[in-house]
Every structure is written in C-alpha cells, then in structure tokens.
Amino acid sequence: MHPAFSVIFLTTLIGAAQGLFLALVTAQVYAVDGILPAQEPGFYVQGSFIALVLLALGLVAAAFHLGKLEYFITRAWRGMSQWRTSWLSRELIALPIFMGLVFLYFAAHYAGLHEPLFTIGGKLAVDATLLIGIVGAVMAFVLYISTAMIYASVRFMQEWHSPLTVFNYILFGLASGFVLAAAFAATVGSDLVGFFTGWALIFTIASAVTRGASLYRNARIEHKSNLQTAIGVRHPRIRQKSMGFMGGSFNTREFFHHASDSAYDMMRYAFIALVFVVPVILLLLDAPLLAFIAQYIGLLAERWYFFAEAKHPQNLYYQSIA
Amino acid sequence: MTQLALVIDLNVCVGCHACVTSCKEWNTSGWAGPMADEEPYGKDPSGTFFNRVQMYEVGEFPATETVHFPKSCLHCEEPPCVPVCPTGASYKREDNGVVLVDYDKCIGCKYCSWSCPYGVRELDEYQKVMKKCTLCIDRISDETKPEAERKPACVLSCPTSARLFGDVHDPDSEVSVAIRENAGYQLMPEWGTKPANHYLPRRKTRIQIFEDELIRADNPLKKEEAVGEIIGDTIDDVAM
Ligand code: SF4
Ligand code: SF4
C-alpha cells in the first residue's frame, strides 16, 4: 500500500492524545482514591489542552485524506451514516464524541466543577470532572478499537487482518500517550513523573512484543491469491506482459509504496530503534521529553511501514508496464 | 432476483481495446462522466478507465500463448466494497444487482478500493470520487432505446463478440447457457465475493476425423485402377 501522510499523522496524533488523556484520568482516579498525590486543577487543564491540540491536528490531517478539502464541510457528515457495517464510519462517530468529551473534561476542570456529585462506598467522592473523565476513557478505547479495526477488518490485506493490529494500535497509543504524560509532568514539575514513566515503559515494551509478533507473522505470511486465481488460468508459468496502459493509474499509485528495498528496510530498522529502544533508554535516563520526540518520530516511520508492508491482491494485476 | 453481468470469452478476445475506448467514450460523456485524463498527450498519460485489457503470457517459450484479459468491475454478488463505505455512496442495486457509486455522496476516502481484490475501482483525479464500471446503467435502462441497443457499450463494440451481457440468474439466458456449456469461471474465488461476471476459458478446437472420411471410398477415378492391365489391341491399334 501507498502510505498516505494524512493517515500517518492522523493515527499517530490521536493515538498519543488518547493515551495522554487516559494517563490524566488514571492519575485523577488514583488521586481520588488517595493512591497518588492530588494535583493542582491547572495540571488537568493544561494536560487535557495538550490532548485537545493533538486531536485538532489529527482532525486537520484527516481532512487531507478526503478527496477534496471541501468535502469536509459538504459531505463528511455522511460518513457517520453507515456505522452498522463500516468501521470507518464508526471511527468518524467516535472521534468527534471523544474530542467533545476531552473538551468537556478540560472545561470542567477549568470551571472548577469539583463539588462531589455522589460518593461511592462513603469515601470515593465523584465530581463532574471525574465522571466526564471516566466516560471519556471508555470512549478513548472505543476510538482505539475503531481506528485499528479500519485496517484489521480488511481481509484482503492479510498483513493487517489480525488481532495483532488492534493490540498494536492500542499499545502504541498508550505508550506514546504515557511518555508524553511523563514529559508533561516533568515540565510542570509534577510528582507524577515516576508513575507515568513506569507505565510508559510497560506499554512501550508490551508494544514491542505485539509489533514484533506481527512483523514475524507478516514475514511468513502466505498470500491467498496468485496469478493463477487472478486470471483463472491453470499454468505454473504466467507472466503479465501488459497491464493495459503505460503511464500509471490509480491502481499503481494507491497500492504500491514505490520505495526502494533499502529504503523499506531502513524504515523498519528506524522504527524499531526509535519506537522501542531509544525511548526506553531515554526514559531510564529521566529525559521523557526527548523520549517522546524520538518515539513520535519512530511512530511516523512505523505507520509508514505498516502501510508499505501490506500487499494487496490487486497488485497481481499491475505488474508490468507495456 | 435479476443479476446483470458480463461474460467474457477469453477464447475469442483478440485484445483490440475496442471495448476500452467505447466504454470511455460512452461513459465520459454520460451519467458517469467525466472520466478525467491527466496529460493525455504527455510522457506519462494517465486517466480514469472502467475497463482495461491486459495481456498475459502463459507457458515457456516457444510454447507460449498470449491471453488477452479484459477486466472491469465484476458486480460481485457479495460485494466486499459496499458495506465498508462510510457514507453509503457505494451500493448494489436491489433490482438488477449492478454495483454503483453515488458521486454526490462519495467523499473520496478510497476505503472501498482497499476492499476490492480485483483492482477495478479508480479514484477520478478531477472529481475526486470513486468510479467504476456501471454496466452502462444509463444505457441498459434507457427505454427510449431499441431493445438491441440496451446493452453496455463494450458489448456492442466488441468486433469478435467476445463479450456477452445478460442475467446470470436466469438459467435460460444467453450468459447462463454460455457459462454452463463452456466451463465459465469466476476470478479469485478464494475470497467468496461471488463475482457476477464470468470468464470463458481458452479452449482448443478439436474435431475427430477418420481416415475413410478423408478419402472418398466410391471415387469414380478409383474404378480405373480396379480394371487392371490392358491386354490385346485397342481400337486405335487396329485402325487403318
Ligand atoms: S469487482 Fe470489486 S468493485 Fe466490483 S463489486 Fe466486486 S469487489 Fe466491488
Ligand atoms: S471512496 Fe467513496 S464510495 Fe468509496 S468508500 Fe469512500 S465514500 Fe464510499
């Protein structure tokens, strides 16, 4: 597949935003329970503002994936209509709902809505911010699953058609979000750096395991289709002499990555180093901001590779220019 | 239910591209148009086509054969491209089974093209919506046309009649009979998409001839041979 920059930025930006939001809500839940020290309200206001900015940037990237930018205003709303059958439609619904909840979370903290609405077990005081936070956290997972299933549900892309794709999307989002949370906590001088760093390490290592498993799986994948089934001729030796045109078409542009073998391999090494190895070292060296920058760049490479890695059966029909 | 479809006879197709050009001509100026071209006279001409004719070489030289292979949307009976569309722009018609795209709803997200294993959907670079073969829906359903012309442009233009059009759900239709009697098959059956379009395979034309059918047993010329050697004088020998 051709890696589209709109989708590479969209998925990495919102993944990190969801992870950051989940980190904030986790910290808040633990603080209410008294496990972690309580934070200033400003901590959640600033933190959720960063998440909102990332989500907004993701939305801008998404708009560039549409055929024309104007479709964003004129037609994109239609994309929410087929949620019964289409994971893409489900994502288009989940994303604005999640953005709305993050905004409400931000606004509620900003407005200081800390009056307990009710208490659980006589000691857990639940206020409006926490309630919104928990609903938002559930929505963050709905969004992770919707995003991942857009790819995992395409059975023709056998490299993607696996539960590993869903685990990868969730764990990459959580890893980058918690690394970002650690960086944010360090920047504002919060005492949560250690908590966020710990989980960032766990998620980063877990994502290395699941992505490693999908790399292993994809290197050994057996493709269902071949030239024999593509044209229905039973002969061991078939070669395409002409694909019917010479100057390329949508089918040659959209479904091939057009990168050299060495660039393709480089991307793999780059993302393995930048997503897993470098951030772990930097986190252990107490440099979470640098860790986030390295990991985010690595995730861009990972997403590029994720697309390039998938081989579509239609490519069988587009092999020879003449 | 009716399921309109094409049946393409690979034994007959000579790869002349008449269907490609007539498809483009009809559809670029009709309901499905325009089908944009980019740099049509430049170095790398590119454009939207609903139908392509490809060529494959089968076998090892010198025992090779060329297979001309026309390819367009197969109007699958289980079209994987339809349910994935987020806008509902991609749909399959209930009444005749033709798979179409509503260009006023499509947002050009390309997701449907990822879900078609045959590579027959093409994003139009000018309109930025997904396009594909419509089976000339505006032509086959145009009741002002005489019955004989209510066929896709490609079918009408094919000089060798390699393309048949009809209802594959009607067991007595020309297409159903052709599929049944000539081992018609579907492309990539492994995906369970149940393409409505079928292909008829290359087949050798063989006839069985016996020796006595080549040599006429009662050829009058052979009678002379049976007479044997002439003995004695003929009438010419004894003439004065
Ligand atoms: S051939 Fe492709 S575009 Fe046409 S109906 Fe089948 S899956 Fe859809
Ligand atoms: S490109 Fe158009 S028809 Fe295809 S899935 Fe997207 S909106 Fe639907």
Side-chain angles (χ1 to χ4, degrees):
Chain A
M1 292 293 292
H2 167 73
F5 275 95
S6 52
V7 184
I8 293 178
F9 279 105
L10 165 72
T11 54
T12 50
L13 284 167
I14 66 170
Q18 288 157 262
L20 172 59
F21 181 76
L22 286 165
L24 294 173
V25 175
T26 313
Q28 193 185 351
V29 171
Y30 282 12
V32 171
D33 206 17
I35 299 171
L36 285 177
Q39 303 296 309
E40 300 284 313
F43 177 80
Y44 298 108
V45 174
Q46 292 168 15
S48 52
F49 182 74
I50 297 174
L52 270 180
V53 170
L54 294 180
L55 287 167
L57 289 174
L59 205 62
V60 171
F64 281 95
H65 189 65
L66 300 175
K68 289 181 186 173
L69 270 185
E70 66 190 63
Y71 291 167
F72 192 73
I73 311 288
T74 57
R75 298 183 179 187
W77 57 272
R78 284 186 196 278
M80 301 183 188
S81 66
Q82 303 301 309
W83 53 272
R84 283 181 201 81
T85 57
S86 169
W87 279 105
L88 179 51
S89 189
R90 289 169 199 163
E91 193 206 28
L92 290 177
I93 295 171
L95 180 57
I97 294 180
F98 178 68
M99 285 186 78
L101 287 166
V102 177
F103 177 76
L104 284 181
Y105 183 78
F106 161 80
H109 271 294
Y110 189 79
L113 301 181
H114 296 303
E115 276 301 302
L117 298 173
F118 54 90
T119 52
I120 299 170
K123 81 181 180 65
L124 275 185
V126 178
D127 63 11
T129 59
L130 190 60
L131 200 62
I132 298 169
I134 288 169
V135 177
V138 173
M139 210 55 216
F141 276 99
V142 172
L143 183 54
Y144 273 139
I145 292 169
S146 306
T147 308
M149 283 305 288
I150 290 177
Y151 307 99
S153 68
V154 184
R155 60 197 159 106
F156 306 104
M157 242 79 88
Q158 288 175 261
E159 287 81 356
W160 296 350
H161 191 51
S162 149
L164 286 172
T165 301
V166 182
F167 288 122
N168 288 337
Y169 268 81
I170 295 176
L171 289 170
F172 281 140
L174 288 173
S176 58
F178 273 76
V179 177
L180 179 58
F184 165 64
T187 313
V188 298
S190 158
D191 41 14
L192 291 179
V193 182
F195 172 72
F196 289 145
T197 302
W199 280 105
L201 284 168
I202 291 171
F203 290 135
T204 301
I205 292 164
S207 67
V209 173
T210 57
R211 188 62 172 110
S214 72
L215 280 176
Y216 180 85
R217 172 182 180 271
N218 292 349
R220 279 154 194 79
I221 213 153
E222 245 187 64
H223 288 106
K224 272 193 183 184
S225 293
N226 49 48
L227 216 39
Q228 281 72 22
T229 66
I231 68 167
V233 172
R234 232 179 240 263
H235 195 290
R237 191 181 168 285
I238 304 175
R239 279 195 308 188
Q240 186 176 46
K241 287 289 170 180
S242 154
M243 53 187 180
F245 52 87
M246 296 168 76
S249 72
F250 171 74
N251 307 83
T252 60
R253 291 188 289 267
E254 176 73 2
F255 295 93
F256 294 87
H257 58 70
H258 296 289
S260 65
D261 285 351
S262 57
Y264 178 77
D265 287 337
M266 272 308 296
M267 272 306 194
R268 184 173 60 247
Y269 300 135
F271 94 70
I272 292 173
L274 287 173
V275 176
F276 310 120
V277 184
V278 176
V280 167
I281 295 171
L282 288 171
L283 283 174
L284 293 175
L285 293 176
D286 268 340
L289 188 60
L290 286 179
F292 176 72
I293 294 169
Q295 192 172 52
Y296 187 74
I297 295 170
L299 283 175
L300 294 177
E302 191 279 334
R303 223 37 57 87
W304 185 95
Y305 191 82
F306 172 76
F307 281 96
E309 201 182 13
K311 298 194 177 40
H312 199 285
Q314 77 110 41
N315 294 7
L316 292 166
Y317 294 108
Y318 298 96
Q319 297 186 351
S320 167
I321 297 172
Chain B
M1 200 194 88
T2 308
Q3 173 65 64
L4 298 178
L6 296 174
V7 169
I8 296 166
D9 193 342
L10 298 183
N11 202 42
V12 174
C13 176
V14 292
C16 73
H17 288 245
C19 53
V20 178
T21 46
S22 63
C23 164
K24 180 107 174 183
E25 188 276 332
W26 175 263
N27 285 300
T28 198
S29 39
W31 172 82
M35 292 158 74
D37 280 326
E38 280 180 295
E39 300 211 44
Y41 305 106
K43 186 160 70 73
D44 290 320
S46 173
T48 310
F49 284 79
F50 296 169
N51 180 29
R52 309 269 192 185
V53 177
Q54 309 191 316
M55 265 154 234
Y56 294 86
E57 183 185 80
V58 179
E60 199 72 57
F61 181 83
T64 49
E65 273 195 63
T66 304
V67 175
H68 302 287
F69 184 78
K71 183 166 83 78
S72 54
C73 169
L74 308 168
H75 299 279
C76 300
E77 301 204 35
E78 302 282 348
C81 55
V82 168
V84 299
C85 172
T87 61
S90 198
Y91 66 105
K92 183 172 178 73
R93 265 177 66 154
E94 293 284 335
D95 56 341
N96 55 19
V98 178
V99 175
L100 293 171
V101 179
D102 183 338
Y103 303 154
D104 294 327
K105 287 186 183 166
C106 175
I107 53 174
C109 69
K110 311 175 198 166
Y111 196 39
C112 53
S113 70
W114 296 6
S115 275
C116 166
Y118 306 104
V120 294
R121 292 182 160 249
E122 301 193 10
L123 189 86
D124 188 81
E125 288 299 331
Y126 168 75
Q127 250 181 317
K128 296 288 184 189
V129 294
M130 197 51 76
K131 300 210 167 176
K132 57 176 275 305
C133 162
T134 67
L135 272 184
C136 289
I137 192 73
D138 50 348
R139 198 181 165 109
I140 57 176
S141 54
D142 182 354
E143 301 199 344
T144 64
K145 285 198 184 303
E147 183 78 50
E149 282 181 30
R150 273 182 244 156
K151 287 182 174 180
C154 58
V155 174
L156 292 172
S157 70
C158 178
T160 60
S161 300
R163 304 173 76 93
L164 309 175
F165 168 69
D167 175 11
V168 289
H169 281 186
D170 170 4
D172 298 322
S173 67
E174 184 191 19
V175 283
S176 295
V177 172
I179 293 168
R180 202 163 56 233
E181 298 189 345
N182 296 304
Y185 65 89
Q186 296 164 315
L187 304 183
M188 292 188 184
E190 61 272 24
W191 296 112
T193 54
K194 294 208 202 141
N197 283 12
H198 282 67
Y199 286 78
L200 304 184
R202 293 292 287 265
R203 36 200 191 276
K204 280 264 182 287
T205 311
R206 291 183 213 274
I207 45 172
Q208 210 169 19
I209 298 178
F210 296 100
E211 192 68 20
D212 62 344
E213 291 170 321
L214 289 174
I215 300 161
R216 203 172 132 188
D218 57 350
N219 189 335
L221 292 175
K222 300 239 176 73
K223 301 278 187 222
E224 289 182 6
E225 283 168 27
V227 173
E229 214 178 315
I230 299 163
I231 303 157
D233 294 340
T234 66
I235 194 161
D236 293 328
D237 296 335
V238 295
M240 296 299 291

